[in-house]
Amino acid sequence: MVDFSLKDKIALVTGASYGIGFAIASAYAEAGATIVFNDIKPELVEKGLASYAELGIKAHGYVCDVTDEAQVQDLVARIEKEVGVIDILVNNAGIIKRIPMHEMKASEFRQVIDVDLNAPFIVSKAVIPSMIKKGGGKIINICSMMSELGRETVSAYAAAKGGLKMLTRNIASEYGEYNIQCNGIGPGYIATPQTAPLRERQPDGSRHPFDSFIVAKTPAARWGTTDDLKGPAVFLASSASDFVNGHILYVDGGILAYIGKQPQ
């Protein structure tokens, strides 16, 4: 029988106070895992704890800047002492800056790389030793369609997510012999509060131009939802995926497989 249970597992999902990280962590809780999350601000951690409590989930929240290696090492040590050894890590925390490349400051580029690529390296590095001692673990990196595609104004984000794809493959290559599987999830365009302005109806009742663009480019003819990510995330965290390693699972409604409609 295929086992998707996460009973008795401890899952750390970074930046999971809301949005995609919150949805993934909630799915893990439904599958039986104990949830640990962090955020960079105390008020976000408190907000997250309240949101989990509303769902009947007893989560453990910590304040931590995942780009700070000393803070991350301290975080992992505290989790191991107060909750237990981390079985599942989801590197979800991320940022994006939509700035034309020729207008982007090098400091802004570095900030995106720091959060979206360096932080997954730092957090993964911190949890791997205990995973080795325990006999295995799961690392899931939240990649992007920009791990494969470029687009206007997202040079730093695309560079970071492309690098994260290769970091995923390298962790799989380096630590597979220790029964550690490292895979990625590449969300398509997901309907969240952050993308809500792009889906608002125009004054004349028509769709926002970007909304029309995304729906036309997606074979599923809709935006994804955070619920669409729950099944793939549970699969990659469970023993059902024990021989899946170094794979990026794109949950995009088919965008990457589709060349688009011929203009009329």
Side-chain angles (χ1 to χ4, degrees), residues 83 100 109 214:
V83 187
F109 188 92
I214 292 304

Side-chain angles (χ1 to χ4, degrees), residues 26-228:
S26 300
Y28 287 171
E30 291 174 23
T34 298
I35 303 306
V36 184
F37 73 99
N38 81 290
D39 221 310
I40 195 167
K41 297 179 180 179
E43 56 267 32
L44 289 175
V45 172
E46 291 303 318
K47 178 182 176 182
L49 287 170
S51 297
Y52 286 111
E54 285 179 11
L55 296 179
I57 297 169
K58 186 184 183 304
H60 303 263
Y62 296 85
V63 178
C64 178
D65 178 354
V66 287
T67 68
D68 185 317
E69 187 168 10
Q71 285 191 37
V72 170
Q73 291 288 345
D74 180 63
L75 170 70
V76 171
R78 286 185 62 194
I79 292 169
E80 290 186 358
K81 180 180 179 181
E82 297 172 8
V83 187
V85 173
I86 295 162
D87 300 286
I88 303 157
L89 165 64
V90 181
N91 284 308
N92 166 75
I95 62 170
I96 188 169
K97 289 182 179 293
R98 301 185 186 277
I99 305 170
M101 181 175 164
H102 70 282
E103 297 177 3
M104 186 175 233
K105 297 175 184 177
S107 59
E108 293 170 324
F109 188 92
R110 291 190 189 102
Q111 184 185 8
V112 175
I113 297 295
D114 206 22
V115 176
D116 293 356
L117 180 57
N118 290 343
F121 161 78
I122 290 169
V123 185
S124 298
K125 174 187 172 183
V127 304
I128 283 172
S130 291
M131 286 183 173
I132 291 173
K133 290 178 184 177
K134 193 168 184 177
K138 303 280 188 175
I139 298 174
I140 299 162
N141 293 322
I142 303 303
C143 295
S144 167
M145 289 189 301
M146 299 302 113
S147 299
E148 301 288 341
L149 300 172
R151 193 169 184 278
E152 300 86 350
T153 75
V154 294
S155 58
Y157 186 78
K161 294 299 187 177
L164 186 57
K165 173 182 70 176
M166 292 312 301
L167 178 63
T168 299
R169 291 175 175 173
N170 206 81
I171 293 172
S173 302
E174 195 165 354
Y175 296 101
E177 65 180 291
Y178 300 104
N179 191 33
I180 295 172
Q181 292 84 49
C182 182
N183 295 288
I185 293 176
Y189 285 91
I190 306 297
T192 65
Q194 287 76 18
T195 60
L198 299 174
R199 290 177 281 108
E200 287 180 351
R201 290 283 175 173
Q202 302 301 285
D204 64 359
S206 65
R207 280 182 156 168
H208 188 289
F210 192 79
D211 184 17
S212 297
F213 167 70
I214 292 304
V215 172
K217 289 291 291 182
T218 307
R222 66 174 177 87
W223 287 65
T225 69
T226 53
D227 283 350
D228 290 318

Side-chain angles (χ1 to χ4, degrees), residues 2-13 21 23-36 57 83 85-90 134 137-140 181 185 229-242:
V2 179
D3 187 4
F4 294 98
S5 172
L6 301 181
K7 187 175 184 294
D8 299 326
K9 301 295 185 182
I10 295 170
L12 167 61
V13 185
I24 289 174
S26 300
Y28 287 171
E30 291 174 23
T34 298
I35 303 306
V36 184
I57 297 169
V83 187
V85 173
I86 295 162
D87 300 286
I88 303 157
L89 165 64
V90 181
K134 193 168 184 177
K138 303 280 188 175
I139 298 174
I140 299 162
Q181 292 84 49
I185 293 176
L229 299 168
K230 290 182 176 181
V234 170
F235 165 66
L236 291 177
S238 73
S239 62
S241 62
D242 281 353

